[in-house]
Amino acid sequence: MVEISHAPVGQALWLTLLGWGEGGTQGLTAASRAVLESAEVVFGAHRHLRLLPPLNAEVVEWPVPFADGIPELLNQRGRRVVMLVSNDPFWFGAGSTLAQHLSADEWLALPAPSTFSLAAARLGWPLERCTCLGLHAKPLTRIRPYLHAGRRLLVLVRDGEAVAELASLVSRFGFADSQLTVLEALGGDNERTRHCRVDANLPQDIAHPVAVGLEVAGSGPALPLTPGLSDHFFDHDGQITKQTIRAITLAALAPMPGERLWDIGTGSGSIAIEWLLAHPDNQAVGFEQSAERAARARSNADNLGVDWLDVKQGSAPEVLNDSPLPDAVFIGGGLSQALLDDLWQCLPEGVRIVANAVTLESEALLAHWQHKAGGELMRLELANAAPIGTRRGWKASYPIVQWRGVR
């Protein structure tokens, strides 16, 4: 493990993060050009360094994986150092990673137009109306929540194979009518733009760096923005919080940006997945005793574009102890007095807790707990119209008792 030290307070400016595109020095401002020409050391990836003009500086190729280059960069403190970064270093770029290891007065960023800006300019799309996704190092399934007919997406991907994989995913999700634009080497001498449908035969010579413009079209099922996805979006064995109860439960959990959920007895993962869909910064940990259900929850998360769901196999409360503390807890399975007592001991004040019960024994437990800990207790009864001979009547589901409280 590499230990990285921070500069002392008052460290003089020594590092410039220089936005660098496929046009090399052609796209630099006068200020960026002056910083580059006066540098003593220049760091950059191989594809950036190939565009450098002759310099008096020492030139160092940045290694892969990215983190391996950070100690060597920090060892250059006291010299005039330039790091070449792709376009805008703080939009899906290296800037945010490097800034964690630096004091504010050590570095300066001189960004170039982002790949998203260049792509929007080539396509004539208003950038503020586009969804911009950096998936060059992330699973492509993360596009799933954004597939709504009429939307325009700008997506950064790693290479030509990823373009083909992305097109296949979009078609599989039911949006084969979408128009795809492949944008290569934007801003450089080898810039190229090509258009086709996502279900067409793609070119075989797509070269990195590459971005994709996607005009979404088709009759595929888009994911609604409100909580309570239809049950058919989830693979399950019957162990699932059904759509209507799930919507009520998520409203009770009240997810807010950046919050973490504990989903105890996660089953199909439906509650945790919808928690994650509420905001891309949200986190969720699912706890599931069954290995088969734990695997199913992970698969559902992947298919719905929230692959960062963390599912831990084991029984609560034993498996809770090693997990970061949550902002909210849902108990959908494994409810017991021991679990409630343990949660009350380990959770900090202010954590929201929602528990659903369907058996008489668990109802009695929640009634007793509400008397002890306060909160809200409600009974939810649902019925659907169903045939009775030649007529129709109400077919009731098992009632759900729900307790909502705050630690």
Side-chain angles (χ1 to χ4, degrees):
M1 182 175 182
V2 177
E3 183 175 340
I4 298 172
S5 60
H6 290 264
V9 175
Q11 171 72 49
L13 172 69
W14 60 275
L15 173 64
T16 300
L17 305 178
L18 185 61
W20 190 256
E22 287 297 299
T25 57
Q26 297 176 29
L28 295 184
T29 64
S32 296
R33 192 182 297 272
V35 167
L36 181 62
E37 291 174 351
S38 65
E40 295 178 272
V41 186
V42 176
F43 285 84
H46 174 73
R47 70 183 184 88
H48 293 152
L49 298 181
R50 65 182 172 81
L51 299 171
L52 272 180
L55 296 172
N56 293 324
E58 176 187 351
V59 177
V60 181
E61 183 173 335
W62 196 270
V64 177
F66 182 86
D68 289 355
I70 296 175
E72 176 60 23
L73 175 70
L74 299 184
N75 285 338
Q76 303 298 325
R77 281 190 175 108
R79 304 178 73 185
R80 294 188 303 278
V81 181
V82 167
M83 180 174 176
L84 306 179
V85 291
S86 296
N87 302 99
D88 186 341
F90 290 94
W91 200 350
F92 297 105
S96 56
T97 300
L98 294 173
Q100 298 174 28
H101 305 289
L102 300 162
S103 301
D105 56 354
E106 287 189 86
W107 60 274
L108 170 71
L110 297 174
S114 70
T115 303
F116 297 117
S117 294
L118 293 173
R122 301 298 186 271
L123 295 170
W125 294 358
L127 187 56
E128 76 277 5
R129 302 283 296 171
C130 298
T131 298
C132 299
L133 302 172
L135 301 183
H136 44 285
K138 303 293 182 183
L140 298 178
T141 50
R142 292 193 181 184
I143 199 172
R144 180 66 182 95
Y146 306 99
L147 293 178
H148 292 249
R151 300 300 300 168
R152 285 172 167 171
L153 313 181
L154 295 173
V155 189
L156 307 184
V157 294
R158 65 183 182 274
D159 53 26
E161 289 185 5
V163 175
E165 184 183 344
L166 185 70
S168 176
L169 274 175
V170 173
S171 294
R172 179 162 64 84
F173 288 135
F175 297 93
D177 295 335
S178 301
Q179 294 295 316
L180 182 143
T181 302
V182 181
L183 304 117
E184 300 160 80
L186 286 170
D189 293 337
N190 297 320
E191 178 176 320
R192 181 166 55 179
T193 300
R194 290 179 282 183
H195 308 271
C196 63
R197 281 171 52 110
V198 295
D199 58 353
N201 291 325
L202 296 179
Q204 299 298 307
D205 59 345
I206 299 173
H208 177 76
V210 60
V212 169
L214 192 68
E215 292 185 277
V216 183
S219 58
L223 302 187
L225 299 178
T226 54
L229 296 181
S230 175
D231 295 343
H232 70 73
F233 281 107
F234 303 95
D235 180 25
H236 63 90
D237 60 359
Q239 186 73 12
I240 183 174
T241 303
K242 298 295 178 62
Q243 180 182 18
T244 304
I245 299 299
R246 191 181 336 117
I248 295 170
T249 300
L250 283 157
L253 288 167
M256 288 179 274
E259 289 193 321
R260 179 184 295 112
L261 172 74
W262 280 3
D263 183 2
I264 300 174
T266 196
S268 66
S270 62
I271 291 288
I273 289 168
E274 292 217 43
W275 172 278
L276 294 172
L277 285 170
H279 195 276
D281 290 338
N282 285 2
Q283 303 169 55
V285 183
F287 303 92
E288 176 55 55
Q289 191 165 3
S290 163
E292 183 179 355
R293 287 174 178 165
R296 186 180 290 115
R298 295 186 191 99
S299 176
N300 282 332
D302 289 343
N303 290 334
L304 291 170
V306 289
D307 56 277
W308 56 97
L309 172 62
D310 182 12
V311 182
K312 297 183 183 294
Q313 188 190 339
S315 59
E318 289 81 4
V319 292
L320 304 180
N321 299 328
D322 296 331
S323 298
L325 291 172
D327 301 284
V329 175
F330 172 61
I331 307 172
L335 180 65
S336 68
Q337 186 66 52
L339 174 59
L340 291 171
D341 288 338
D342 189 79
L343 289 173
W344 223 245
Q345 289 297 317
C346 76
L347 294 178
E349 292 186 5
V351 174
R352 308 183 297 279
I353 307 174
V354 177
N356 288 353
V358 69
T359 67
L360 292 175
E361 291 79 7
S362 53
E363 282 187 26
L365 177 57
L366 287 184
H368 171 74
W369 186 255
Q370 190 259 350
H371 180 72
K372 174 184 176 181
E376 232 185 307
L377 192 67
M378 64 178 67
R379 180 181 169 96
L380 306 171
E381 298 189 61
L382 299 174
N384 294 92
I388 302 179
T390 59
R391 296 175 180 267
R392 292 184 303 156
W394 293 110
K395 182 178 181 180
S397 303
Y398 285 115
I400 301 291
V401 171
Q402 184 176 92
W403 174 72
R404 310 175 176 187
V406 178
R407 168 67 177 91

